[in-house]
Amino acid sequence: DAMVIQNPRYQVTQFGKPVTLSCSQTLNHNVMYWYQQKSSQAPKLLFHYYDKDFNNEADTPDNFQSRRPNTSFCFLDIRSPGLGDAAMYLCATSRDLRVRNEQYFGPGTRLTVT
Amino acid sequence: SQQGEEDPQALSIQEGENATMNCSYKTSINNLQWYRQNSGRGLVHLILIRSNEREKHSGRLRVTLDTSKKSSSLLITASRAADTASYFCATDAGGAGGTSYGKLTFGQGTILTVHP
């Protein structure tokens, strides 16, 4: 089945230790998104790629970076995680930006910072 | 700023009853989407309604959109225990006010509990 896969499902990192979360998709969608979701809150968009074009949200901290080496994979790098970065990180894809832009989500990676 | 506001924040019903959740938003939109999230999991897309549509159905789901009131509602009929989840509305402003296309802004969600 076509899907969005996130690895790992659970990640524990130490305060200040760089961590990378990964996302892959078999849907061949043009757009990939990264969201941060804290407990009992709405998902908050961090950035998205339309093909190779990177779009950063204005309020996304510089601590968060992303890479999309090819259509299928997208990575979220947190350079120096703080305690406030503990959250669920959701990857999503959509076929396009304007039409058919319903999003397909992966199961998420729950990040714990110790 | 937050685009979607949902009410109620939590809804508890018995199996077989209908569940209605409401969403209000602030700016003009291209479309509005509803998603479901089971505890600790990713979101699942339920239904998309475009700004020129007023009502849409999908199985036991009925969504309405009133652009003059900037509001939408999601009705789940004949609810089941498996419908227990958080439900989010998300708006696509579609380029309005400099907003990027394809950017969804999520509401805070409604936690629905369906008791067997």
Side-chain angles (χ1 to χ4, degrees):
Chain A
D1 284 341
M3 55 180 20
V4 181
I5 301 159
Q6 290 189 246
N7 285 306
R9 294 292 313 281
Y10 301 90
Q11 176 75 57
V12 180
T13 191
Q14 292 176 335
F15 183 94
K17 185 175 180 183
V19 66
T20 294
L21 310 182
S22 72
C23 176
S24 64
Q25 54 129 342
T26 61
L27 298 160
N28 204 32
H29 281 175
N30 290 317
V31 193
M32 294 187 79
Y33 306 82
W34 279 105
Y35 290 87
Q36 179 192 66
Q37 186 180 27
K38 297 190 175 179
S39 184
S40 301
Q41 294 185 19
K44 179 178 177 298
L45 182 65
L46 296 173
F47 24 59
H48 74 272
Y49 275 94
Y50 178 68
D51 195 11
K52 288 182 168 47
D53 292 335
F54 177 71
N55 294 270
N56 197 32
E57 291 301 298
D59 56 355
T60 298
D62 292 339
N63 201 21
F64 291 84
Q65 305 283 320
S66 186
R67 297 169 281 136
R68 188 179 186 188
N70 53 52
T71 301
S72 301
F73 285 87
C74 196
F75 300 98
L76 170 62
D77 301 308
I78 309 176
R79 293 193 295 190
S80 182
L83 298 178
D85 297 327
M88 175 78 89
Y89 289 89
L90 297 166
C91 174
T93 72
S94 67
R95 187 184 303 274
D96 199 18
L97 288 174
R98 298 192 184 202
V99 182
R100 299 294 306 276
N101 63 2
E102 58 266 40
Q103 295 185 13
Y104 296 78
F105 283 78
T109 294
R110 184 167 297 283
L111 178 69
T112 301
V113 182
T114 60
Chain B
S1 62
Q2 189 171 300
Q3 169 74 312
E5 300 274 352
E6 294 180 63
D7 81 275
Q9 289 188 322
L11 181 60
S12 182
I13 59 174
Q14 295 294 129
E15 244 184 352
E17 294 180 340
N18 295 342
T20 299
M21 288 158 268
N22 302 296
C23 170
S24 61
Y25 57 92
K26 295 175 184 165
T27 66
S28 62
I29 60 171
N30 180 37
N31 65 60
L32 184 145
Q33 304 179 27
W34 285 90
Y35 289 81
R36 184 187 73 218
Q37 184 177 35
N38 289 87
S39 181
R41 306 286 297 182
L43 283 77
V44 174
H45 179 263
L46 296 176
I47 199 163
L48 180 155
I49 186 164
R50 294 193 164 78
S51 59
N52 61 353
E53 297 175 311
R54 291 296 165 260
E55 188 171 311
K56 248 185 140 167
H57 297 254
S58 177
R60 294 184 295 114
L61 305 181
R62 174 178 168 252
V63 168
T64 61
L65 179 65
D66 187 334
T67 52
S68 67
K69 294 181 179 176
K70 292 188 169 58
S71 67
S72 174
S73 67
L74 170 68
L75 168 68
I76 304 174
T77 59
S79 63
R80 306 166 181 165
D83 295 329
T84 295
S86 293
Y87 291 81
F88 293 90
C89 70
T91 50
D92 172 12
T99 307
S100 299
Y101 282 94
K103 172 184 171 180
L104 293 182
T105 304
F106 286 82
Q108 290 298 310
T110 294
I111 300 170
L112 173 65
T113 303
V114 182
H115 300 280

